C-alpha cells in the first residue's frame, strides 16, 4: 500500500465531504435533491477568486455571503413555493438542473476564464508517518470533520437545531407549533450552498476549478451521498472518505483514465448490495 | 370567538364540506360529532389553515383568517392537534414538548411542561424515550401534551379518544373540562365517543359534509346523536 496515495485519498475525501454534507443537509431537511448546489458553489468560488487580490479573507467572506444568500433566495422564492404547490421530484430535478445551468452561464459571463486556481496561504508543511503534505490540506480535512461535528451537535443541543429536526420529521406539526418552516428550509438551503462553496474553494486551492467543476461536484456529491445513505450525514462522510481512497488508489495504480471506471463500478456494486446506502438513508428517495 | 360561515371545501371534484356553519364562544367546549368520513377532519384542518376553502369565511376574534397562513393563525393563538402524525417521531417526549412550547419564553415553557406532566404523569416517566417507541395511547397523550404546552387560547382537537382505554377516555374528558374551567381556553373537539356530550357546551352533528344539527347539550336529543354515530 502506498501511504502517499492514501493520504491524498483521505484529504480528497475530506474536501469532497463538504458538498456531500451540503447536499445531505438540503435533502434531509427539504426532501429536495438540488442539482444546482455544485454550480452555485463554483460560481461563488469564482467570486472569491475575483476579490482575492484585495485579500484572501475578503475574498472568502464575499464567497460565503454570496453562497448563503443565493441558497436562501432560491429556496425562499422558488423551491418552497413549488413544493407548497405539490411539486414532485421530477419537477425539482428539472428546476434545479435549470438553476445549475443559469449559474454556469453567470460564471461564464462574469468571469470569462477557462479555469482558476486559488492561491491561498499554504500554511506550511506537515509530516505524517514520513509523508509530507501541505498544512492547507490538513486544514481542509479537519475543517470538513468539524463542520460535520458542529452541525450534529447544534442539531442535538440548540433550540434552533430542535426546530430543524422537528421540521424534517413532521413538517405539518412543525407548522402547527409555530415554527417558521419556510425560514428553516431557506436556512438549510443556504447552509448547504455554503458548504458546497467551501468544498469548491478547497478544491480550487488544492487543484483547480473550471466551468464544469460545479457539475462534477454536484454529481460526485450526489453519488457519494447516495452511497452513504442520502440524508445520513455520517454515512456521507464515511462514503466520501472511502470514495476519496478509491479514486486516489485507482488513479495511482491503474492511471487517471481508470479512476472513473473503478469509482462508478464500485458505486453500482454498493447500491446493488445496499440500495439504501452503506449506513442507510434517513429519508427515502 | 371562532365563526365559520358558508364553508365549502373540495378535494378535486368531490366536495367534502358543503355550506358549513360552525361557531364556538370563548371558554366553551364544542363537540363535533359524526360518522367516519363525515368531514370532521376536513373542517378542523381548514380552520387551522391546511386546506383552502372554495367558498365561505372563517373569523377568529372578529378577524377574517381564511387567507392567513398556518403560522399566522398560530400566532393568533390557534393550535390543532391532528388525528394522525401528531408527534415528532425521532425526538424524545421531552423534546417534543419543548418544541410544542417553542414560542414561549423559557420560564413559561418550563411551567407549561410541568403542568402537562402533572396531567399525564406517564409522559414524565417516559421523558427521555423517543416518541416513536411510545404505545398508541401514550402517543395520543403526547400529541395532546404538545397542544397543551403551546399555550394556545383555542385548541382544535381531532378525535383525541381514539385508541385510548375507556378509563383513559373518561379521564381525558375530565382533564379537558378542568383545563377549560381553569384557563378559559376554547376547545373544539371532534369525537365519535358519545362521552363528549358530558363535557361539551354544544354539539354540532355533521354527516356527509353537512351540518345536521347544532344543539346545546342540555336540550340535546341523545337519540339523534346515537343515530348519527351509527350512521343510520
Ligand atoms: N386528501 C383527500 N382526497 C380526497 N378525498 C378526501 C381526502 N381526505 C378526505 N377525503 C374525503 O373527504 C371526506 C371527509 O373526510 P374526513 O377525513 O374529513 O372525515 P372524518 O369525519 O374526519 O372521518 P373519520 O372519523 O374517519 O376521521 C371523506 O369522504 C374522505 O374520503
Ligand atoms: Mg377524521
Amino acid at each position: 500500500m502506498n501511504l502517499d496515495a492514501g493520504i491524498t485519498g483521505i484529504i480528497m475525501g475530506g474536501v469532497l465531504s463538504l458538498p456531500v454534507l451540503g447536499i445531505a443537509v438540503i435533502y434531509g431537511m427539504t426532501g429536495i435533491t438540488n442539482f444546482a448546489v455544485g454550480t452555485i458553489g463554483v460560481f461563488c468560488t469564482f467570486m472569491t477568486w475575483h476579490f482575492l487580490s484585495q485579500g484572501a479573507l475578503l475574498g472568502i467572506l464575499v464567497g460565503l455571503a454570496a453562497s448563503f444568500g443565493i441558497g436562501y433566495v432560491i429556496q425562499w422564492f422558488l423551491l418552497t413555493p413549488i413544493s407548497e404547490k405539490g411539486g414532485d421530484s421530477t419537477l425539482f430535478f428539472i428546476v434545479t438542473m435549470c438553476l445549475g445551468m443559469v449559474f454556469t452561464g453567470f460564471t461564464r459571463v462574469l468571469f470569462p476564464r477557462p479555469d482558476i486556481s486559488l492561491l491561498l496561504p499554504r500554511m506550511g508543511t506537515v509530516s505524517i508517518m514520513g509523508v509530507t503534505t501541505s498544512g492547507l490540506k490538513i486544514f481542509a480535512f479537519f475543517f470538513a470533520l468539524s463542520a460535520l461535528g458542529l452541525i450534529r451537535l447544534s442539531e442535538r443541543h440548540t433550540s434552533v437545531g430542535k426546530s430543524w429536526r422537528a421540521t424534517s420529521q413532521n413538517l405539518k406539526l412543525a407548522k402547527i407549533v409555530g415554527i417558521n418552516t419556510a425560514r428553516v428550509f431557506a436556512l438549510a438551503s443556504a447552509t448547504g450552498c455554503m458548504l458546497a462553496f467551501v468544498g469548491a474553494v478547497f478544491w480550487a486551492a488544492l487543484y483547480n476549478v473550471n466551468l464544469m467543476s460545479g457539475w462534477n461536484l454536484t454529481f460526485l456529491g450526489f453519488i457519494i451521498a447516495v452511497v452513504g445513505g442520502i440524508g445520513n450525514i455520517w454515512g456521507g462522510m464515511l462514503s466520501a472518505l472511502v470514495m476519496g481512497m478509491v479514486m486516489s488508489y485507482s488513479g495511482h495504480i491503474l492511471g487517471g483514465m481508470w479512476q472513473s471506471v473503478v469509482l462508478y463500478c464500485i458505486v453500482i456494486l454498493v447500491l446493488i448490495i445496499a440500495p439504501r446506502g452503506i449506513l442507510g438513508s434517513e429519508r427515502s428517495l | 370567538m371562532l365563526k365559520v360561515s358558508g364553508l365549502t371545501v373540495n378535494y378535486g371534484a368531490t366536495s367534502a364540506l358543503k355550506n358549513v356553519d360552525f361557531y364556538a364562544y370563548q371558554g366553551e367546549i364544542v363537540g363535533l360529532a359524526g360518522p367516519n368520513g363525515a368531514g370532521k377532519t376536513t373542517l378542523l384542518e381548514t380552520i387551522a389553515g391546511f386546506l383552502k376553502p372554495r367558498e365561505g369565511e372563517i373569523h377568529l376574534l372578529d378577524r377574517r383568517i381564511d387567507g392567513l397562513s398556518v403560522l399566522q393563525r398560530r400566532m393568533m393563538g390557534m393550535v390543532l392537534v391532528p388525528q394522525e402524525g401528531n408527534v415528532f417521531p425521532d425526538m424524545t417526549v421531552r423534546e417534543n414538548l419543548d418544541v410544542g412550547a417553542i414560542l414561549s419564553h423559557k420560564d413559561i415553557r418550563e411551567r407549561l411542561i410541568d403542568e402537562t406532566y402533572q396531567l399525564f404523569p406517564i409522559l414524565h416517566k417516559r421523558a427521555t424515550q423517543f416518541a416513536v417507541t411510545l404505545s398508541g395511547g401514550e402517543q395520543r397523550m403526547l400529541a395532546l401534551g404538545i397542544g397543551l404546552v403551546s399555550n394556545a387560547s383555542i385548541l382544535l382537537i381531532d378525535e383525541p379518544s381514539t385508541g385510548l382505554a375507556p378509563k383513559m377516555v373518561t379521564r381525558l374528558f375530565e382533564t379537558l373540562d378542568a383545563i377549560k374551567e381553569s384557563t378559559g381556553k376554547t376547545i373544539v373537539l371532534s369525537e365519535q365517543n358519545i362521552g363528549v356530550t358530558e363535557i361539551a357546551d354544544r354539539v354540532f352533528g355533521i354527516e356527509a359534509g353537512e351540518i345536521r344539527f347544532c344543539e346545546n347539550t342540555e336540550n340535546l336529543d341523545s337519540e339523534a346523536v346515537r343515530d348519527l354515530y351509527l350512521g343510520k
Side-chain angles (χ1 to χ4, degrees):
Chain A
M1 289 293 247
N2 185 313
L3 208 57
D4 208 3
I7 289 177
T8 307
I10 286 191
I11 286 164
M12 217 189 244
V15 172
L16 271 179
S17 74
L18 287 164
V20 172
L21 193 55
I23 286 166
V25 166
I26 294 177
Y27 181 76
M29 177 58 67
T30 64
I32 294 172
T33 47
N34 187 338
F35 287 91
V37 168
T39 48
I40 291 171
V42 165
F43 172 72
C44 296
T45 303
F46 272 82
M47 286 179 87
T48 297
W49 169 81
H50 181 79
F51 285 96
L52 209 57
S53 55
Q54 286 149 54
L57 189 65
L58 176 76
I60 288 175
L61 285 180
V62 167
L64 281 175
S67 55
F68 188 91
I70 292 171
Y72 197 100
V73 165
I74 58 168
Q75 185 68 41
W76 186 273
F77 289 104
L78 191 66
L79 302 177
T80 300
I82 291 177
S83 80
E84 297 272 298
K85 288 195 185 110
D88 62 357
S89 49
T90 317
L91 190 61
F92 280 119
F93 174 75
I94 292 170
V95 170
T96 58
M97 287 296 277
C98 292
L99 266 179
M101 290 296 182
V102 168
F103 281 99
T104 311
F106 277 157
T107 312
R108 185 180 294 137
V109 173
L110 292 177
F111 311 103
R113 264 186 71 120
D115 61 80
I116 56 163
S117 173
L118 290 182
L119 277 175
L120 294 183
R122 290 275 111 185
M123 302 182 180
T125 56
V126 180
S127 215
I128 311 162
M129 292 183 280
V131 180
T132 311
T133 182
S134 81
L136 181 65
K137 289 186 178 177
I138 304 293
F139 176 75
F141 178 74
F142 283 104
F143 185 92
L145 262 189
S146 36
L148 178 127
L150 204 71
I151 287 181
R152 272 280 118 128
L153 273 177
S154 48
E155 259 186 354
R156 293 275 145 216
H157 299 293
T158 67
S159 94
V160 175
K162 261 181 214 151
S163 59
W164 279 46
R165 277 197 294 149
T167 305
S168 80
Q169 286 177 26
N170 190 337
L171 178 60
K172 181 173 173 183
L173 192 56
K175 284 184 182 169
I176 289 175
V177 299
I179 294 171
N180 189 338
T181 55
R183 191 164 66 206
V184 170
F185 277 7
L187 284 174
S189 168
T191 308
C193 289
M194 217 160 68
L195 286 166
F197 159 73
V198 177
V201 162
F202 281 132
W203 201 266
L206 301 177
Y207 317 100
N208 63 46
V209 298
N210 57 43
L211 267 183
M212 286 315 289
S213 303
W215 293 108
N216 290 336
L217 219 55
T218 299
F219 284 118
L220 213 51
F222 260 107
I223 285 161
I224 292 173
V226 170
V227 166
I230 191 157
N232 183 325
I233 293 182
W234 291 115
M237 182 83 195
L238 182 68
S239 148
L241 291 180
V242 172
M243 292 303 161
M245 295 289 241
V246 167
M247 282 194 283
S248 171
Y249 274 109
S250 61
H252 187 77
I253 297 166
L254 300 168
M257 334 246 246
W258 285 95
Q259 251 184 1
S260 58
V261 177
V262 176
L263 179 74
Y264 290 108
C265 284
I266 289 184
V267 168
I268 293 170
L269 253 168
V270 169
L271 290 182
I272 288 172
I273 300 166
R276 292 172 67 86
I278 39 185
L279 289 192
S281 171
E282 286 179 1
R283 197 167 178 164
S284 56
L285 254 185
Chain B
M1 165 121 195
L2 174 69
K3 190 169 185 302
V4 172
S5 44
L7 199 71
T8 298
V9 178
N10 287 15
Y11 290 112
T14 59
S15 65
L17 293 179
K18 287 165 224 135
N19 197 20
V20 164
D21 293 321
F22 180 87
Y23 59 92
Y25 292 115
Q26 171 124 29
E28 273 189 332
I29 294 185
V30 175
L32 186 61
N36 292 118
K40 304 183 291 296
T41 300
T42 306
L43 178 55
L44 294 183
E45 305 238 321
T46 310
I47 296 173
F50 286 102
L51 295 167
K52 281 228 161 359
R54 160 156 299 205
E55 274 167 47
E57 296 181 4
I58 307 172
H59 289 263
L60 181 65
L61 300 166
D62 296 325
R63 190 168 153 205
R64 187 162 175 186
I65 61 163
D66 42 283
L68 301 185
S69 71
V70 176
L71 189 63
Q72 286 168 314
R73 297 182 205 201
R74 168 70 189 91
M75 296 300 181
M76 291 181 68
M78 183 153 75
V79 156
L80 168 74
V81 178
Q83 188 172 7
E84 278 161 357
N86 43 25
V87 298
F88 299 106
D90 296 323
M91 294 176 112
T92 65
V93 168
R94 170 70 205 210
E95 287 174 327
N96 266 273
L97 295 176
D98 276 339
V99 171
I102 204 158
L103 291 184
S104 297
H105 187 270
K106 199 162 181 296
D107 305 335
I108 298 172
R109 185 157 65 211
E110 291 298 326
R111 201 200 68 214
L112 290 165
I113 292 177
D114 276 344
E115 284 172 10
T116 306
Y117 279 159
Q118 271 160 29
L119 286 176
F120 304 109
I122 189 93
L123 292 182
H124 196 188
K125 242 169 69 188
R126 304 248 183 270
T128 58
Q129 201 171 319
F130 282 96
V132 69
T133 65
L134 296 177
S135 79
E138 289 164 350
Q139 273 186 32
R140 286 251 133 219
M141 289 182 226
L142 179 57
L144 224 54
I146 294 173
L148 293 177
V149 297
S150 70
N151 211 10
S153 53
I154 173 161
L155 275 170
L156 313 170
I157 312 180
D158 201 357
E159 300 202 24
S161 71
T162 336
L164 290 184
K167 220 168 118 191
M168 270 315 295
V169 175
T170 319
R171 256 207 63 204
L172 171 76
F173 285 155
E174 284 167 10
T175 306
L176 290 176
D177 204 26
I179 290 169
K180 178 197 92 168
E181 291 298 332
S182 64
T183 62
K185 284 187 201 299
T186 311
I187 301 177
V188 177
L189 189 51
S190 92
E191 259 308 332
Q192 306 213 27
N193 189 303
I194 195 79
V196 69
T197 52
E198 310 261 311
I199 56 159
D201 298 286
R202 192 174 328 101
V203 175
F204 284 81
I206 183 169
E207 199 190 354
E210 293 177 57
I211 296 290
R212 287 290 148 84
F213 64 80
C214 155
E215 283 291 351
N216 291 343
T217 23
E218 304 91 76
N219 30 14
L220 193 68
D221 172 6
S222 60
E223 283 300 302
V225 185
R226 285 232 159 73
D227 277 354
L228 196 63
Y229 281 121
L230 298 173
K232 283 180 202 164

